[in-house]
Amino acid sequence: MKKFLLFLLLALMFSLQFWGCQTYSRTETDIYTISELDTTTSYIDKNAPGNRDNGIIFSSSRTVQSERTMVQRDSVVNREYPAFIRLGLFESVGLIGSGSDYAAGMGLFGVFPDFDNMRTTYRGGTGKVFSGGLYRFGVAEWRLRWFRDNPNWTYGFTGLEIIMPDSRIEYALASFAPFYLRKRFYLREEIPYIAITGAFGISPLPIPSQYVNISASIDVGSIGGLNVRAYLGLAGGINSSGSYQVRISPAFGPTNPPKSVTSVFPYFGIGVSVLDFLNRVPELYTEWKDHEHSSWDIGLTQLILLNSGASSIYKSDTTSSMLTGLILRLATASVALPLLDWKVYAGTSLINFVVLGENEWGMGILPLRLGLWQTVIMDEMSVEPFIEYNYYPSEIVHIGGRLNLRVTEGINMGIAAGYASGSTVGRFGTDMMRQLGKQMSFSRPYIGLSISFFDRIFFPEHLRYFKNK
């Protein structure tokens, strides 16, 4: 399990680095010369003291002076537009039909695995619907102007892609930066978009796998960076005898030396992606400030350092801490709902850790969160009471609230308080529990300090529902 968590961390870091190397915004600059013209007219009477008859003999003593001035200055206007069609952090797909006798049981969307059997020596079994999984870290697509600018063609790369048909690790295909061509046919061109997408992907370098992946999908999204997809595809490739999957596979050993493995399999899958944003071609010509948003909050990392009165996870034999635990959310979204003037939201996170103390903790994958978003000070402060249900692998009911203060566009701080009740018992195997901690139930209130990174809070002026009000 430690190796698995380390792998996820490295994959996340690689995808973030991959994101950072891509061009996601373009800037157009207009330089103007502004000229201001001004004319000053002065009327001057040169009469001497006393009355003077300037009749038909004497001309008028009034003189008129006109002075024209021109002031010129340069004006620079920068307009920023999106430069990508798609930019996503993480996508996972639960595969059906890619394996039978060796089904790994990765669960719906591929993110609800059987934690009790999550190890490289596991060879799967029968009776599990989702036999494998497809995982992408760092997806980027740009416009491809083929066929006289035929719309919705794209080319792109994936930072890291893993396609595992079943639990046999030697048959899993993996690649760094595989190349993809895609064509989208939109059935709905308003948010949330609905499209049929055809894709051809290739990993030409045998590091660690060399393969081709052909697929078609029905895509629904993107709203708050959340997308749902149904896939039908065919993948085939080769893992050499020196590839990582073959070397760690329990199928090979001293009496059976590693050898190259050919892996070809059709698949059907249901997937989800988070922090995954899609632009249609017309949106490439819409300034960032005019883009439509559907969520109150979209973020990568939300952290609450808390005190619950439990035994602290921070203390040693000689020290103690006012802090006892933490709440960590990764890849979150809070989508506005048409209730109470769009103040009610539904949210989720890719992974949610609730740690109240040393032995009082739990983890949730794609938890269900319902809350109320209230702006206190425009562009600065907001408050959000919520109720959250973590159903897998831990069962936790979490009621709380946060006061958010926006420090910058991507950093927020605040205070949080709440009550969490749940248990780690039920879906963690004994191997994992020996590494992570004891199985026990907990019910405690807490208060803490909240800080968020790469976390964008939106205000009513940003949401598309208030644009025309």
Side-chain angles (χ1 to χ4, degrees):
M1 182 59 186
K2 289 181 179 178
K3 293 182 179 179
F4 175 74
L5 294 176
L6 179 59
F7 167 77
L8 290 182
L9 178 60
L10 292 175
L12 179 62
M13 293 174 61
F14 181 84
S15 61
L16 288 175
Q17 181 66 26
F18 181 78
W19 259 20
C21 295
Q22 309 308 313
T23 300
Y24 66 91
S25 185
R26 65 182 177 88
T27 301
E28 293 185 359
T29 302
D30 292 331
I31 301 177
Y32 299 91
T33 298
I34 300 176
S35 300
E36 295 180 352
L37 297 177
D38 187 26
T39 302
T40 302
T41 303
S42 302
Y43 298 91
I44 303 174
D45 289 324
K46 296 183 178 180
N47 291 337
N51 293 328
R52 184 176 181 181
D53 186 2
N54 291 326
I56 59 175
I57 298 176
F58 296 98
S59 60
S60 173
S61 63
R62 172 177 290 186
T63 59
V64 179
Q65 294 180 349
S66 294
E67 183 178 353
R68 176 172 293 182
T69 60
M70 181 175 67
V71 178
Q72 290 185 324
R73 66 178 186 273
D74 292 335
S75 175
V76 179
V77 178
N78 292 322
R79 296 191 301 271
E80 293 187 347
Y81 301 86
F84 63 89
I85 293 294
R86 180 186 176 192
L87 197 62
L89 177 66
F90 175 75
E91 178 183 6
S92 64
V93 184
L95 301 185
I96 302 173
S98 58
S100 54
D101 296 335
Y102 300 94
M106 300 307 292
L108 182 64
F109 305 136
V111 291
F112 298 101
D114 183 358
F115 285 97
D116 193 15
N117 295 309
M118 185 176 286
R119 51 187 180 270
T120 56
T121 57
Y122 180 60
R123 303 300 285 177
T126 60
K128 298 178 181 180
V129 176
F130 294 93
S131 53
L134 186 154
Y135 305 94
R136 294 187 174 114
F137 299 85
V139 183
E141 296 180 38
W142 299 272
R143 184 182 180 187
L144 182 60
R145 311 188 76 157
W146 273 4
F147 310 114
R148 294 190 175 185
D149 255 2
N150 187 281
N152 304 320
W153 281 94
T154 67
Y155 73 95
F157 300 87
T158 300
L160 173 64
E161 181 177 72
I162 302 170
I163 311 174
M164 48 176 295
D166 50 41
S167 62
R168 295 174 295 178
I169 190 66
E170 67 270 20
Y171 286 91
L173 303 173
S175 176
F176 294 100
F179 176 78
Y180 271 90
L181 289 175
R182 290 184 174 92
K183 168 67 175 178
R184 290 180 175 85
F185 302 90
Y186 281 93
L187 306 180
R188 174 186 168 89
E189 296 188 353
E190 297 179 355
I191 299 173
Y193 306 128
I194 301 177
I196 297 176
T197 304
F200 172 81
I202 183 170
S203 172
L205 300 177
I207 305 173
S209 304
Q210 195 171 24
Y211 63 87
V212 171
N213 181 26
I214 303 172
S215 67
S217 63
I218 299 178
D219 313 335
V220 180
S222 162
I223 182 165
L226 301 175
N227 301 265
V228 178
R229 298 181 177 90
Y231 279 92
L232 181 65
L234 174 66
I238 298 174
N239 290 325
S240 67
S241 58
S243 66
Y244 178 74
Q245 302 97 296
V246 171
R247 286 189 288 108
I248 68 172
S249 172
F252 303 101
T255 60
N256 184 23
K259 59 183 178 180
S260 63
V261 175
T262 300
S263 180
V264 180
F265 54 91
Y267 62 85
F268 170 75
I270 301 175
V272 65
S273 61
V274 295
L275 293 184
D276 187 0
F277 305 97
L278 181 69
N279 290 316
R280 296 186 302 110
V281 172
E283 293 174 307
L284 301 183
Y285 301 96
T286 302
E287 290 187 67
W288 275 119
K289 63 182 181 64
D290 296 324
H291 269 241
E292 296 183 336
H293 303 285
S294 306
S295 300
W296 289 107
D297 187 14
I298 301 174
L300 176 62
T301 305
Q302 294 181 356
L303 175 65
I304 300 175
L305 301 174
L306 59 85
N307 185 301
S308 66
S311 177
S312 176
I313 64 173
Y314 304 101
K315 71 178 182 179
S316 64
D317 294 336
T318 58
T319 63
S320 60
S321 174
M322 292 182 61
L323 302 176
T324 63
L326 60 87
I327 294 174
L328 177 63
R329 296 172 179 167
L330 299 177
T332 65
S334 300
V335 180
L337 299 179
L339 299 171
L340 299 179
D341 198 23
W342 300 96
K343 294 180 180 179
V344 177
Y345 73 83
T348 189
S349 308
L350 176 61
I351 300 177
N352 186 29
F353 293 97
V354 178
V355 184
L356 299 184
E358 184 177 10
N359 295 312
E360 302 180 23
W361 62 274
M363 182 177 73
I365 298 174
L366 296 180
L368 303 177
R369 187 166 57 253
L370 188 66
L372 180 69
W373 196 279
Q374 179 63 52
T375 299
V376 179
I377 302 176
M378 187 65 70
D379 297 328
E380 293 182 15
M381 187 176 293
S382 59
V383 63
E384 51 162 330
F386 63 87
I387 180 171
E388 180 182 76
Y389 176 52
N390 298 265
Y391 50 89
Y392 188 92
S394 304
E395 292 186 8
I396 305 170
V397 176
H398 181 194
I399 301 174
R402 293 197 310 167
L403 178 67
N404 305 303
L405 176 64
R406 189 168 77 165
V407 180
T408 67
E409 192 172 277
I411 299 177
N412 307 293
M413 297 187 66
I415 57 175
Y419 182 88
S421 177
S423 173
T424 59
V425 179
R427 296 184 178 92
F428 288 101
T430 55
D431 290 344
M432 286 188 62
M433 295 310 302
R434 280 196 294 266
Q435 300 180 52
L436 298 179
K438 299 178 181 179
Q439 292 183 347
M440 62 181 299
S441 301
F442 55 87
S443 293
R444 286 185 182 273
Y446 70 86
I447 187 170
L449 175 66
S450 171
I451 183 169
S452 305
F453 301 98
F454 301 104
D455 186 39
R456 175 75 185 275
I457 288 179
F458 296 93
F459 292 87
E461 61 186 23
H462 302 131
L463 267 61
R464 59 192 176 100
Y465 313 111
F466 301 97
K467 291 279 188 179
N468 299 324
K469 287 190 176 183

